[in-house]
Amino acid sequence: MSSTSQVHHGAEEAEDDVRRQHQTSHAAVAPGEIAVGVVIGRASEYFDFFTYGIASVLVFPAVFFPFLSRVDGVLLAFAIFSLAFIARPIGTTVFMAIQRHWSRGTKLTAALFLLGTSTVCIAFLPANTSNGYGVIVILCALRFLQGIALGGSWDGLPSLLSLNAPKARRGWYSMLGQLGAPTGFLIAASLFLFLHTQLSNEDFLGWGWRYPFFVAFAINVVALFARLRLVVTEEYTQLMEEGQLEPIGTLEMLQAQGYNLFIGAFAALASYALFHIVTIFPLSWITLNHSQGINDVLIVQIIGAFVAIVATVASGVLADRFGRRNMLGGMAVLIGLFAIASPWLLGGGRAAQDAFLLIGFALLGLSYGQAAGTVTSNFAKRFRYTGAALTSDFAWLIGAAFAPLVALSLSMRFGLGAVSVYLLSGVACTLLALRINRALETDRNKA
């Protein structure tokens, strides 16, 4: 039996198990139940995401690129880091085809199996003691496969949640899925902090760093069954069909409503750019400049993750009161002010750097909490499933994929002021996209 057939057969068995558990239940799926699946699924993905990101700063330069300077090693790690975001739209396209030919359960099982396998394989990579390129090529391949899997792991739950949430509380339900980001970072940073404080530097670089990648595989298994619990039920399938949330080919999607895809990606650009400017980039900047210890930075970032969780929840309340698009536009302006102040904060003493992190995490929670789905409602129902997935993929690719690499390169060559300009460009794109989106909406209402 081929590996593809094995995955498909395994997915069918998993679906049968879940269906047997729910064969006596025919109640409608409540928004709260969908939200639980969204939070669990996103938190597991973000844990993988941040495990790799943190390791790119703390581990990979010394373990895989020992022949480079510390700065060049981090830059190379960030370049490889971006490969997953380049691969995500490809993964979405491939796995949408898998869903059309087989089922949602097969697609999700195969995607999370690939994500877990490619992640855990990184833990088995040997140190590059010979200064060769074989290990680096394998690392690149595994990172690319992670991106393929992340694109394929789209389950449609956020779109379903958006369609079934009460109209007056759509901002609240939109933010629930976004809680996965600070939660995933909190778990990943806490695990790295524990290992880094409890182990000697030799043991940490020798074997300790590998443990989070094993944990990522286990979390993916748990997340898989939590999501299959909803995905394969009759209630979920019926809701998906009623909402016309079916996988559409990428080419057809681009031809029909490609403009909505790119407006959506650019509308959230400030949030996605800020995402790495306050998580991965400052960890590299502060440690490379030796202005604080690694453990000290991680502790502040963990506190910042808690701040981001609170801010994400607050974004739901504010969005329902003032409107999600107004919320996103207002936060873009605040992110712009933060960008202007960034050189003095990040380039200052310890207190100023800590303020940069905590303020940044607060803004990230408030803005990213409403970054998903703000303009995907523009898609016709038939295109919303694929449109939401590709909008997210391109937002990550355009806004976040190269942010650590660009920010560190610019700051090392031109100073932190260049990072401000970079972040401000994202703010400008967000405000312009929101303006275009509002104009299109006005034209539709007049028609």
Side-chain angles (χ1 to χ4, degrees), residues 336-361:
L337 296 176
F338 174 73
I340 294 172
S342 291
W344 289 275
L345 293 174
L346 193 54
R350 177 169 180 170
Q353 291 175 344
D354 292 349
F356 171 88
L357 293 172
L358 296 177
I359 295 172
F361 270 100

Side-chain angles (χ1 to χ4, degrees), residues 422-439:
Y422 174 72
L423 189 52
L424 284 169
S425 67
V427 171
C429 289
T430 288
L431 295 175
L432 179 60
L434 290 174
R435 179 72 177 270
I436 294 172
N437 182 68
R438 185 179 296 275

Side-chain angles (χ1 to χ4, degrees), residues 8 11-12 15 19 95-112 152-157 160 224 227-228 230-247 385:
H8 178 52
E12 289 180 333
E15 289 184 42
R19 285 197 179 100
F95 278 92
M96 286 293 178
I98 290 175
Q99 180 176 334
R100 289 196 299 274
H101 284 86
W102 286 289
S103 69
R104 292 185 183 90
T106 300
K107 168 196 167 184
L108 190 59
T109 301
L112 291 183
S153 65
W154 177 252
D155 51 24
L157 286 173
L160 186 64
L224 170 62
R227 294 160 79 174
L228 282 177
L230 287 178
V231 168
V232 303
T233 58
E234 293 180 6
E235 298 87 354
Y236 175 92
T237 301
Q238 183 178 356
L239 283 174
M240 291 285 284
E241 291 174 350
E242 289 174 353
Q244 302 178 42
L245 297 177
E246 295 296 329
Y385 181 78

